[in-house]
Amino acid sequence: GGAAHLIDNTENGLLVPIQDFTLLSDAMCWIVENEDKAISMGKAALNIKNRFNSINVCKQWLEFLKTFDDSSN
């Protein structure tokens, strides 16, 4: 679901299993210990934000809805 479809683990974020507090803690420590990679992942994560901003999503919906336009028949 959701986040797993958007996040490429260690490229634009870190994925940990739900309710796995040990792995979550490990991931948080890893972020603190790997500042350069954390910054790199943060910058890459902005691409997700930009890809799914309201303007782009509206454009995608409009393109999709145009496929149902039967006025050309």
Side-chain angles (χ1 to χ4, degrees), residues 13 15 19-20 33 39 42 49 51 54-55 57 62-64 66 69 72:
L15 293 170
Q19 297 294 317
D20 191 330
E33 294 166 359
I39 291 169
K49 176 186 160 249
R51 194 168 116 205
S54 59
I55 293 170
V57 170
L62 286 173
E63 289 302 313
F64 173 71
K66 285 180 185 178
D69 182 11
S72 60

Side-chain angles (χ1 to χ4, degrees), residues 9-64:
N9 199 35
T10 72
E11 293 302 317
N12 59 10
L14 296 176
L15 293 170
V16 296
I18 295 171
Q19 297 294 317
D20 191 330
F21 302 112
T22 300
L23 281 181
L24 177 59
S25 174
D26 291 347
M28 294 169 71
C29 289
W30 187 88
I31 288 283
V32 170
E33 294 166 359
N34 294 278
E35 183 178 358
D36 289 343
K37 185 63 175 174
I39 291 169
S40 172
M41 287 190 308
K43 289 178 182 177
L46 288 176
N47 293 329
I48 297 169
K49 176 186 160 249
N50 294 334
R51 194 168 116 205
F52 292 101
N53 71 28
S54 59
I55 293 170
N56 288 335
V57 170
C58 286
K59 286 179 183 178
Q60 291 172 1
W61 270 107
L62 286 173
E63 289 302 313
F64 173 71

